[in-house]
Amino acid sequence: MPARNGDIKIVAGNSNRALAEAIGAYLATPLTKAVVRRFADMEVFVEIEENVRGRDVFVVQSTSFPANDHLMELLIIIDALRRASARRITAVIPYFGYARQDRKVGPRTPISAKLVANLITHAGADRVLTLDLHAGQIQGFFDIPTDNLYASPVMVRDIRERFDLKTITVVSPDVGGVVRARGLAKRIDAPLAIIDKRRERPNESEVMNVIGEVAGQTCLLVDDIIDSGGTLVNAADALLEKGAKDVYAYITHGVLSGGAVARITASKLKELVTTDSIQPTEAVKVARNMRVLSIATLMGEAIGRTASEESVSSLFD
Ligand code: R5P
């Protein structure tokens, strides 16, 4: 798709260059030449090698592993662009890390998601474009316009192509994810089940109660993040115990820390489908039961619409 605003520039950090390039290809806009590198002591150094004066600039950077380095790259790229007189800077953050720290979990603990939002704003971002925020309210942590896109249209297209929808039940792996799972279930007109994790007494292991009918069904677990994989593997086991025919998972952000890929590969999950909001590692690409859907077109379309001041929300009607 040709860019609808000749002024746009796309700058990529190092977190997910492949996605940035795919977005650039969709918008027929090559990535702006920029150097984002480290000094010997690992300080980040950025040099934008093209004129961006007066331009509408989109910085594509997920704050994925190593989270702090990628966050720092994002901040420093924004600073460089601001000092280079860019007209408008949009931080395109397909995976917004630190989002799970969105409230005080105890006395004397931080709200790091708010701190990170402040850092991005103070660095000089004018707008934020992100995807499947861990909680929609995090939008309010930014005092600049923030669009939170949804990967669900990409997932729904894939689900429609692969499954007989009559036998599908969408499952939220925990009570916190019900709104997200319900949204996807509605789009494919499927029933919803919920896994309610409870620790009956201190020091006893959690009991997984399945609320809803799953026997004989193909269950699709839906969540925003897979990190260690523990939530999904336990949920898959609980569903199979209740007679589910098989279990798949559609998760937006494949954080996949530590031994997560091995855990998923060894699990009873038929398939884990993630998106490329976080650049998939080689291990993910070759894993027997993992597949990655691209959100490049979705993000590219949203960037094009932002540049030409068109509605972004209508992408999800
Ligand atoms: C939690 O609220 C998130 O939505 C995910 O369920 C969680 O981050 C998954 O973590 P893990 O894969 O480590 O169980």
Side-chain angles (χ1 to χ4, degrees), residues 205-253:
S205 59
E206 272 180 342
V207 182
M208 315 274 282
N209 298 307
V210 178
I211 305 170
E213 198 42 66
V214 297
Q217 290 292 94
T218 292
C219 291
L220 306 187
L221 284 157
V222 171
D223 208 352
D224 60 331
I225 295 171
I226 172 165
D227 192 344
S228 69
T231 302
L232 273 197
V233 170
N234 292 338
D237 288 346
L239 293 168
L240 290 167
E241 254 172 48
K242 291 284 177 197
K245 185 161 153 271
D246 35 35
V247 183
Y248 294 75
Y250 279 79
I251 314 291
T252 307
H253 307 296

Side-chain angles (χ1 to χ4, degrees), residues 10-224:
I10 303 172
V11 178
N14 288 313
S15 69
N16 198 341
R17 214 174 151 89
L19 174 65
E21 270 163 8
I23 292 172
Y26 178 76
L27 290 166
T29 305
L31 298 186
T32 298
K33 290 194 186 68
V35 172
V36 183
R37 64 178 173 86
R38 301 281 183 279
F39 286 147
D41 64 354
M42 299 305 281
E43 273 183 18
V44 175
F45 175 71
V46 170
E47 191 170 5
I48 311 293
E49 296 182 317
E50 291 177 30
N51 177 26
V52 292
R53 196 173 283 270
R55 300 300 180 97
D56 192 6
V57 187
F58 295 83
V59 184
V60 181
Q61 177 81 330
S62 282
T63 56
S64 50
F65 177 86
N68 298 330
D69 284 11
H70 286 153
L71 172 61
M72 207 60 204
E73 278 188 9
L74 174 63
L75 299 174
I76 293 176
I77 293 170
I78 293 171
D79 185 73
L81 290 167
R82 186 165 56 94
R83 292 174 197 284
S85 305
R87 173 169 57 80
R88 181 170 72 168
I89 303 165
T90 301
V92 180
I93 314 172
Y95 170 64
F96 178 73
Y98 280 102
R100 284 173 287 179
Q101 297 188 48
D102 59 355
R103 62 194 178 284
K104 286 186 72 163
V105 290
R108 298 172 296 285
T109 58
I111 305 180
S112 306
K114 172 62 179 154
L115 172 65
V116 171
N118 286 347
L119 290 171
I120 292 167
T121 309
H122 289 300
D126 297 294
R127 307 184 59 89
V128 170
L129 184 60
T130 186
L131 177 77
D132 279 338
L133 277 173
H134 178 59
Q137 309 87 283
I138 296 170
Q139 262 178 304
F141 289 6
F142 291 92
D143 287 329
I144 50 179
T146 299
D147 290 302
N148 180 28
L149 308 180
Y150 305 103
S152 52
V154 178
M155 293 180 173
V156 164
R157 198 173 315 125
D158 190 74
I159 292 166
R160 285 190 190 283
E161 279 169 18
R162 290 174 64 85
F163 297 100
D164 172 6
L165 295 187
K166 290 198 285 291
T167 63
I168 294 288
T169 294
V170 173
V171 184
S172 173
D174 53 36
V175 174
V178 171
V179 173
R180 179 178 298 107
R182 194 197 293 131
L184 193 133
K186 232 172 131 185
R187 280 173 173 261
I188 56 171
D189 203 15
L192 177 71
I194 300 163
I195 296 182
D196 175 36
K197 286 181 280 191
R198 270 200 205 176
R199 202 180 299 279
E200 297 294 352
R201 274 169 284 280
N203 302 323
E204 275 186 12
S205 59
E206 272 180 342
V207 182
M208 315 274 282
N209 298 307
V210 178
I211 305 170
E213 198 42 66
V214 297
Q217 290 292 94
T218 292
C219 291
L220 306 187
L221 284 157
V222 171
D223 208 352
D224 60 331

